[in-house]
Structure formats: C-alpha cells, structure tokens
Amino acid sequence: MRIAVIPGDGIGEEVTAEAVKVIEAVGQRFGCSFELEQLPWSADYFLQTGVTIPPNGYDMLREFDAIFIGALGDPRVPDNRHARDILLGTRFELDLYVNYRPVKLLHERLCPLKGRGPQDVDFVVFRENTEGVYVGIGGRFKPGTDDEIAIQEEINTYKGVHRIIRHAFEFAKARGLTRVCMADKSNAMTAGHALWQRVFRELAPQYPGIDSTHYYIDALAMYLVLDPKQFQVIVTNNLFGDIITDLAATFQGGLGMAASGNIHPGKTSMFEPVHGSAPKFAGKNVANPIGAIASAALMLDTLGLKEEAAAIDRAIAAAVNAMKCTVDVGGSLGTREAGDAIVQLIAAGR
Ligand code: NAD
Ligand code: IPM
Ligand code: MN
C-alpha cells in the first residue's frame, strides 16, 4: 500500500508522527508493508516557496492508494490559501464527496453530557464534501470600503445531493441500521434546500426498513445535546456538517478524539482528524493523537485492511480505559507517549 502523508501545520505534524508509528506497528504485527511517502506541503512550504500545492499535485495524489493529512492552518497565512488548495482542493479535485465522521463515545468519563455513556453516543455523520458554500464562487466588490459587497454562493446540485443522501441510506442498510436523519435549513434557504427535501423524499421510500426523519439544522443541534441516542446516521450539507461534527466531537471527549474520512468509494481517498492545527498547542507535545490514529484506522478499514483497523481501534479503547492518554482525555501523557502506549498495545497483540 502506498500512502501519501501530509503532516501540514502545527499539531498536525505531531499527531501525524504518532499515526505513522501506529500504521508501522500494525504493519509489523500483521505482516503487511506500507510505503509512506511524506509530502512537505504546509504553511512553511508555502512561505518558503510561494507554492501551496504543485501544479501536478492532485495527479500525484491520485497515484497513491490513500492520503493521510494532519492539519492545515497557520496564523502567518491569514487568508488560509494553502489550506484551501491542499485540503479543500484535494476534496474537490479528487471528488471526495463523502465526508464520513463517526461519533462514538469510548468511555463515560469523556462525555460532557450529564449522565450519558457509550450506549448513548454512537452515530455517524455524512457531510457533503464537494459543494455548498465551500466552492468559493463569489467575490468581494469594493473591498474595504463602506460600499463593499461580498457574495459567497451556496451550490447544491441534484447529483451532489443525491449521491451523499444515497450513500447515507446505503451505509445504514449495509450495517443493519434503522434510522437516517437528514438536516437542512429549508425553512429559510427555500431554494437550495428545497432540493435536499426533494431528494430525501425521493430516496427514503426506496429504503423501507429505514426510518427516515428530517430536522432543521438548528433543531438538530438541540436534539444532539438533549438526546444523542436517537441518532444512528445523520446526513447534511458541507457547512452544517462541519459545524455539528465539532459539536459531536465534544461528546467523544473533544476534538482530539474525532476521526474522519474524505471518501470517493472505489477511488483514492483522504483521511484526517477532525481537528485543526491548534496553534496554541503546537510543538508542546500536548496534542491528543487519537483523532489522527483513529483516522488511520478508518483509512486501513477503507483500504480493506479490516483486521489491522480493528486492532488499532481496540488499542485506542484499551489506552483510553487504562488512562494511557493525553491530559485533555484525563491522562497525563504527552503526544508521543500516548502514541507509544497505543503502539505497545498493538505490538502486545491486544
Ligand atoms: P482547532 O481544531 O485547531 O483547535 C480548537 C481547539 O480544540 C484547540 O485550541 C484545542 O483546545 C482543541 N484541540 C484541537 N485538537 C486537539 C488535539 N489533538 N488535542 C487536544 N486538544 C485539541 O481549531 P481552530 O483553533 O479553530 O483552528 C486552528 C487552525 O486550524 C485554523 O487555521 C483552522 O483553519 C485550521 N483547521 C484546519 C483543519 C484541518 O486541517 N482539517 C480543521 C479545523 C481547523
Ligand atoms: C474541517 C475544517 C475545514 C473545513 C477548514 C480548515 C477549511 O474545519 O475539516 O472540518 O471547514 O472543512
Ligand atoms: Mn471543521
């Protein structure tokens, strides 16, 4: 397996180093070999060379079996240009339309919701990943003046909405799940989100075993906090999915725990923790590497390496149970030591 590794900025570099150690450890244990190729694209690289991603960058990425990204974002690049090209660019250019963000609580102590435990928090969010307000269509007219006009269009296409909602239903069906919830803001965004309503109503009857519900996104945010147990599969647009997955990450113990996959089924896909570069933690060996390590497990699972992925997930759960983890999740270890603990659990065959 050839994997492109883009550590990126800030804590992205630190958590990626731990994910790489873990991938190598499962490789050793299960006798599979990974060719991990590090790519330097980052804020540093941009500031030194003026290049965010080289002209053939996306073609290079397509040649790999998978891509792993740490995080992108640096205060020295205020317009976030490099993140737009490297992170969003990869999502768009490789057409990674499924942003898969599982939300699973491993231990009661990690959940800030009163009285909730692992039996209450176990759902997945499918975030549309190639459209919405993220497409960058629009611009600023007379910027910086009192006459400034700023336009940022939200794009919803039948094809785009259909394929993500269909993916959510197919995922539920394949896993024997019985509930799919679609969230939009069709009461206010009466044109764009009417399309989400139309497609959801078109597809739902094709899945008779599945109870399909709809919430407006504001109500969804409220129900997530009040009663997360009701959710199995949530599907929503790019922006709303971004927001609710940071909220949902807190149910798992915080942003440091949350994993994601940017997937086009059957094609080269990209995996990354949900969190960003957390500049305030950068270089301090305090960031939690579990979100990155769990993203590596998602990557291996998607590549068909099910046993390897399951071994990583078991080691993560064991480390969390044994408090062999970073401070944000109740342990006392640094980033590297928390990664080592997971590596040791894998090597020990647990
Ligand atoms: P962030 O996710 O980087 O951090 C927010 C806060 O969450 C941190 O200050 C910290 O308290 C906590 N946190 C995040 N990751 C953690 C970890 N691994 N362990 C422990 N605690 C953790 O979000 P932000 O501060 O809004 O953004 C910082 C930069 O990262 C910005 O430039 C932003 O654009 C970028 N960003 C990138 C990605 C990505 O690459 N996928 C995702 C989100 C934000
Ligand atoms: C994420 C991030 C990105 C997004 C930013 C860095 C553009 O927040 O992956 O969740 O909004 O998609
Ligand atoms: Mn986000």
Side-chain angles (χ1 to χ4, degrees), residues 123-245:
F123 59 91
V124 304
V125 176
F126 288 108
R127 163 185 178 190
E128 200 294 319
N129 214 28
T130 52
E131 308 194 333
V133 290
Y134 278 74
V135 295
I137 294 179
R140 296 170 72 186
F141 182 53
K142 300 186 185 174
T145 73
D146 290 351
D147 296 322
E148 177 164 352
I149 298 171
I151 294 179
Q152 189 124 26
E153 296 288 359
E154 183 183 285
I155 304 302
N156 298 279
T157 70
Y158 180 80
K159 174 186 160 191
V161 176
H162 194 275
R163 65 184 182 174
I164 191 65
I165 295 181
R166 175 167 206 94
H167 186 87
F169 276 116
E170 287 294 328
F171 177 93
K173 191 175 155 187
R175 308 254 170 149
L177 299 172
T178 55
R179 294 197 291 276
V180 172
C181 174
M182 188 275 276
D184 63 20
K185 190 66 190 169
S186 50
N187 51 351
M189 305 183 73
T190 50
H193 295 193
L195 181 55
W196 282 76
Q197 289 286 325
R198 173 195 155 192
V199 174
F200 194 57
R201 281 204 211 100
E202 235 174 72
L203 284 172
Q206 298 175 25
Y207 298 87
I210 296 176
D211 178 16
S212 57
T213 54
H214 166 262
Y215 286 136
Y216 298 120
I217 189 68
D218 46 354
L220 177 81
M222 181 270 297
Y223 284 123
L224 274 173
V225 173
L226 203 63
D227 178 26
K229 194 178 178 148
Q230 69 177 283
F231 298 105
Q232 291 181 338
V233 176
I234 294 171
V235 58
T236 190
N237 71 21
N238 206 339
L239 181 64
F240 298 163
D242 178 47
I243 297 167
I244 62 163
T245 53

Side-chain angles (χ1 to χ4, degrees), residues 8-170:
D9 306 323
I11 65 164
E13 293 189 71
E14 296 167 80
V15 298
T16 299
E18 302 315 308
V20 164
K21 276 181 359 197
V22 167
I23 293 169
E24 284 166 349
V26 280
Q28 283 220 324
R29 174 164 158 210
F30 291 91
C32 46
S33 72
F34 299 101
E35 206 179 298
L36 301 166
E37 192 171 319
Q38 297 242 355
L39 299 169
W41 308 334
S42 60
D44 273 341
Y45 184 80
F46 169 60
L47 292 168
Q48 279 161 26
T49 64
V51 175
T52 55
I53 179 166
N56 64 341
Y58 305 119
D59 287 335
M60 280 172 68
L61 292 178
R62 272 186 265 269
E63 297 297 311
F64 289 89
D65 292 299
I67 304 155
F68 186 91
I69 295 187
L72 291 153
D74 187 299
R76 295 169 301 166
V77 188
D79 65 2
N80 219 20
R81 188 186 323 178
H82 70 302
R84 190 190 62 215
D85 289 356
I86 301 163
L87 184 73
L88 302 181
T90 299
R91 291 177 184 167
F92 293 144
E93 295 296 322
L94 275 64
D95 200 29
L96 307 177
Y97 64 93
V98 178
N99 194 324
Y100 171 47
R101 296 186 161 183
V103 181
K104 193 172 162 59
L105 174 60
L106 296 179
H107 195 286
E108 198 177 309
R109 77 166 193 273
L110 302 179
C111 189
L113 301 175
K114 194 164 62 182
R116 302 293 179 193
Q119 70 286 355
D120 300 302
V121 179
D122 187 2
F123 59 91
V124 304
V125 176
F126 288 108
R127 163 185 178 190
E128 200 294 319
N129 214 28
T130 52
E131 308 194 333
V133 290
Y134 278 74
V135 295
I137 294 179
R140 296 170 72 186
F141 182 53
K142 300 186 185 174
T145 73
D146 290 351
D147 296 322
E148 177 164 352
I149 298 171
I151 294 179
Q152 189 124 26
E153 296 288 359
E154 183 183 285
I155 304 302
N156 298 279
T157 70
Y158 180 80
K159 174 186 160 191
V161 176
H162 194 275
R163 65 184 182 174
I164 191 65
I165 295 181
R166 175 167 206 94
H167 186 87
F169 276 116
E170 287 294 328

